[in-house]
């Protein structure tokens, strides 16, 4: 029965776009890559004059920006601080195009001698993507919004987690908190780890201590005995856990590393759990211990 005052929904009705309060988006063409991107920005609803806010950058903004922005509190409470959330993605709703773009942008180039086994086509744009983020997006955000430059964090999941590790190794001064969720370390025969050898020396030059959170899902890795499945497994869990152990032993004074693996989750289901943990890790108030699981 139709209730008075409510619209009657019909097959010919056209919906309107969903609006996220306190959020805007910008479409732009990068002068560095020549490619089109979409920038999402959310600010606390009650900005205080003269106050500067932590900022969380979220890769794969099409998937994770809305959840991150709506999870940040409007006021200090629940042990989280209000923050600016910045998502980076692409101006398209076509999933094939999103997957193609992120596969190229979020995976590093192969090592020299690209014909080697394990090199994947359609990848390799990560270093230009990072330049675009650091040299175009971040200055725009810092000029336009009241950012606390001493409390900047970045979150990425899967290929995005791989991109976070690349920034950690090559641009450790860019952020204070790095959150790599289920990082896809396997790409190009784990070429991302080539930068690990020089990372300790870069830490010595930093004036601040970096905080790194690496997460995985227990069911992201095959644990059976089938030799074919073992040979083709991407070792999400072991690659991440082993890296976290090595990083934790580098320089305690300049690097704090936390590793968490979520039980009863797989690579698809764990994203929001990792994002939630990342928000707490990046935005917690001083009253809460940060480095617990």
């Amino acid at each position: 029965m139709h209730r008075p005052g409510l619209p009657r929904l019909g097959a010919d009705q056209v919906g309107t776009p969903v609006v996220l309060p306190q959020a805007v988006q910008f479409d732009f063409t990068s002068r560095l890559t020549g490619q089109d991107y979409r920038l999402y920005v959310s600010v606390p609803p009650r900005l205080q004059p003269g106050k500067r806010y932590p900022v969380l950058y979220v890769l794969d903004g099409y998937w994770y920006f809305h959840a991150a922005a709506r999870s940040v509190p409007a006021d200090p409470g629940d042990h989280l601080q209000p923050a600016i959330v910045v998502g980076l993605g692409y101006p398209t709703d076509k999933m094939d195009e999103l997957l193609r773009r992120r596969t190229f942008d979020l995976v590093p180039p192969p090592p020299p001698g690209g014909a080697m086994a394990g090199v994947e086509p359609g990848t390799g744009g990560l270093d230009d993507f990072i330049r675009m983020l650091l040299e175009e997006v971040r200055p725009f955000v810092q000029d336009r919004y009241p950012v606390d430059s001493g409390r900047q964090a970045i979150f990425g999941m899967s290929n995005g987690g791989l991109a976070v590790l690349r920034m950690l190794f090559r641009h450790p001064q860019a952020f204070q908190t790095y959150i790599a969720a289920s990082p896809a370390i396997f790409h190009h025969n784990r070429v991302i780890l080539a930068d690990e050898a020089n990372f300790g020396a870069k830490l010595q030059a930093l004036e601040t201590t970096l905080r790194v959170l690496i997460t995985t899902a227990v069911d992201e890795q095959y644990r059976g005995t089938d030799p074919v499945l073992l040979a083709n497994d991407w070792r999400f869990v072991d690659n991440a856990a082993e890296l976290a152990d090595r990083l934790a032993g580098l320089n305690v004074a300049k690097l704090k590393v936390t590793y968490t693996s979520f039980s009863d989750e797989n690579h698809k289901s764990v994203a929001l759990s990792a994002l939630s943990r990342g928000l707490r890790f990046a935005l917690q108030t001083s009253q809460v211990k940060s480095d617990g699981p």
Side-chain angles (χ1 to χ4, degrees), residues 69-232:
R70 299 313 299 156
S71 298
V72 171
D75 300 295
D78 296 328
H79 308 301
L80 292 180
Q81 297 190 35
I84 299 165
V85 179
V86 179
L88 189 56
Y90 308 103
T92 179
D93 294 329
K94 296 179 179 178
M95 192 56 60
D96 288 346
E97 179 67 3
L98 285 168
L99 294 174
R100 183 191 69 80
R101 290 290 308 278
R102 74 180 295 272
T103 298
F104 180 76
D105 278 344
L106 300 181
V107 177
M116 64 180 290
V119 171
E120 305 139 75
T123 62
L126 177 55
D127 292 333
D128 288 337
F129 179 86
I130 291 174
R131 281 194 63 202
M132 178 271 297
L133 172 59
L134 298 183
E135 297 178 26
E136 295 183 290
V137 170
R138 199 170 63 165
F140 172 83
V141 172
Q142 291 175 332
D143 288 345
R144 192 178 184 100
Y145 299 98
V147 170
D148 181 350
S149 60
R151 292 206 65 185
Q152 300 189 81
I154 185 163
F155 168 89
M157 166 76 190
S158 192
N159 286 353
L162 183 69
V164 168
L165 292 179
R166 185 75 154 195
M167 281 183 268
L168 172 67
F169 287 148
R170 295 200 169 187
H171 307 277
Q173 75 290 346
F175 302 92
Q176 290 75 45
T177 302
Y178 293 80
I179 304 161
S182 301
I185 293 172
F186 64 88
H187 279 296
H188 299 315
N189 289 330
R190 307 199 303 173
V191 68
I192 191 72
L193 301 181
D195 291 321
E196 191 180 344
N198 297 323
F199 181 56
K202 290 184 177 181
L203 281 175
Q204 297 290 348
L206 294 179
E207 296 181 357
T208 60
T209 298
L210 300 184
R211 301 175 66 249
V212 176
L213 173 64
I214 299 175
T215 71
T216 58
V218 169
D219 294 336
E220 285 181 305
Q221 183 167 333
Y222 178 68
R223 296 298 187 186
T225 58
D226 187 305
V228 175
L229 294 178
L230 284 171
N232 290 282

Side-chain angles (χ1 to χ4, degrees), residues 235-265:
R235 296 185 78 247
F236 269 103
V237 177
D238 288 351
N239 280 335
E242 291 163 6
L243 174 61
D245 282 344
R246 293 193 303 271
L247 293 180
L250 281 180
N251 187 334
V252 175
K254 293 292 181 72
L255 183 67
K256 301 293 185 182
V257 180
T258 298
Y259 172 72
T260 296
S261 191
F262 295 95
S263 60
D264 299 319
E265 302 282 4

